[in-house]
Amino acid sequence: GAVVSQHPSWVICKSGTSVKIECRSLDFQATTMFWYRQFPKQSLMLMATSNEGSKATYEQGVEKDKFLINHASLTLSTLTVTSAHPEDSSFYICSPQPDGNSPLHFGNGTRLTVT
Amino acid sequence: AQKVTQAQTEISVVEKEDVTLDCVYETRDTTYYLFWYKQPPSGELVFLIRRNSFDEQNEISGRYSWNFQKSTSSFNFTITASQVVDSAVYFCALPANQGGKLIFGQGTELSVKP
């Protein structure tokens, strides 16, 4: 069965609104959560890394005030896209890491469309 | 710097043909992992394999096989007797550092026609 649960699978929102995406690790405790973004016909690019109980680390070019990440527990991390714009339309996917090794599993992704 | 190159953007084959997807990487690490993932049209990433750089033996899993050549920094993926259900985008990936975040190649879109 699934080891990572990501919700919602897809969401359509209007410009200026905020959208929250949840990612849960079901079978293990995730000390670290990676959030990736994938634009159509492109590869996955890491947006940010969050560690449970501390602030997230953002990759260059990713606005931390726009993409709010909360990693309040070892099984749940959330990504909130604030004041969404059409250019934020993308596929967002999480990947929890249980230990020091590279993670094997990803959430099923959230397809965000901003109109 | 860590880098993964998948030179083949798109490949189209007819069912039952064998197909090889190329992956070339660059890494500053002496030990590392390499990954392959499948992304079907529905979007989810399906883990296929994780290979430790210590192990250079080729691996076979059903119709899938992987050829790891450390001397040429390549980790190629072959699908034997391809099927329509193999149609997907395939990504090769390498950890950016010891922390676990992945650097993905550009992906190869495989189309298997009946």
Side-chain angles (χ1 to χ4, degrees):
Chain A
V3 297
V4 183
S5 173
Q6 184 174 343
H7 293 281
S9 300
W10 60 270
V11 58
I12 301 173
C13 71
K14 293 186 177 179
S15 284
T17 61
S18 295
V19 173
K20 180 183 283 188
I21 301 169
E22 288 191 353
C23 183
R24 294 178 185 273
S25 55
L26 304 178
D27 292 345
F28 55 88
Q29 294 184 326
T31 53
T32 300
M33 182 73 75
F34 299 106
W35 286 95
Y36 294 84
R37 179 168 58 182
Q38 184 183 30
F39 291 108
K41 298 290 187 181
Q42 294 188 23
S43 188
L44 287 87
M45 297 295 291
L46 182 69
M47 295 177 64
T49 304
S50 69
N51 292 296
E52 186 266 335
S54 62
K55 289 185 178 179
T57 303
Y58 291 81
E59 297 297 303
Q60 192 171 9
V62 178
E63 300 174 56
K64 60 180 175 64
D65 294 329
K66 181 173 185 59
F67 299 99
L68 302 180
I69 292 174
N70 184 291
H71 194 162
S73 78
L74 290 172
T75 58
L76 173 64
S77 177
T78 61
L79 167 67
T80 301
V81 183
T82 63
S83 187
H85 289 156
E87 55 264 34
D88 298 325
S89 297
S90 187
F91 188 65
Y92 294 86
I93 190 163
C94 64
S95 180
Q97 180 182 12
D99 51 33
N101 292 319
S102 295
L104 303 183
H105 299 287
F106 289 77
N108 282 350
T110 298
R111 195 166 303 280
L112 170 64
T113 302
V114 184
T115 61
Chain B
Q2 313 291 86
K3 185 179 180 182
V4 178
T5 301
Q6 294 178 256
Q8 304 149 306
T9 305
E10 298 178 7
I11 299 177
S12 182
V13 299
V14 177
E15 209 169 18
K16 297 184 183 177
E17 285 185 17
D18 298 347
V19 58
T20 295
L21 283 62
D22 297 333
C23 173
V24 175
Y25 62 93
E26 296 176 27
T27 179
R28 57 179 174 269
D29 298 327
T30 52
T31 62
Y32 47 89
Y33 286 106
L34 291 163
F35 296 78
W36 274 95
Y37 291 90
K38 173 183 179 180
Q39 187 177 41
S42 49
E44 74 273 19
L45 274 180
V46 179
F47 167 78
L48 296 178
I49 190 171
R50 179 177 71 176
R51 170 53 58 90
N52 190 309
S53 59
F54 280 130
D55 183 2
E56 291 196 61
Q57 284 192 349
N58 291 335
E59 181 151 345
I60 299 175
S61 177
R63 296 185 296 108
Y64 295 169
S65 62
W66 289 268
N67 185 329
F68 177 37
Q69 296 280 344
K70 207 169 180 179
S71 59
T72 56
S73 297
S74 66
F75 186 42
N76 297 337
F77 173 35
T78 296
I79 301 175
T80 303
S82 59
Q83 299 175 3
V84 173
V85 293
D86 295 327
S87 296
V89 180
Y90 290 85
F91 290 98
C92 181
L94 171 76
N97 51 36
Q98 297 301 318
K101 58 185 178 181
L102 294 177
I103 301 293
F104 287 85
Q106 299 91 321
T108 296
E109 183 172 4
L110 174 65
S111 177
V112 181
K113 301 186 186 309

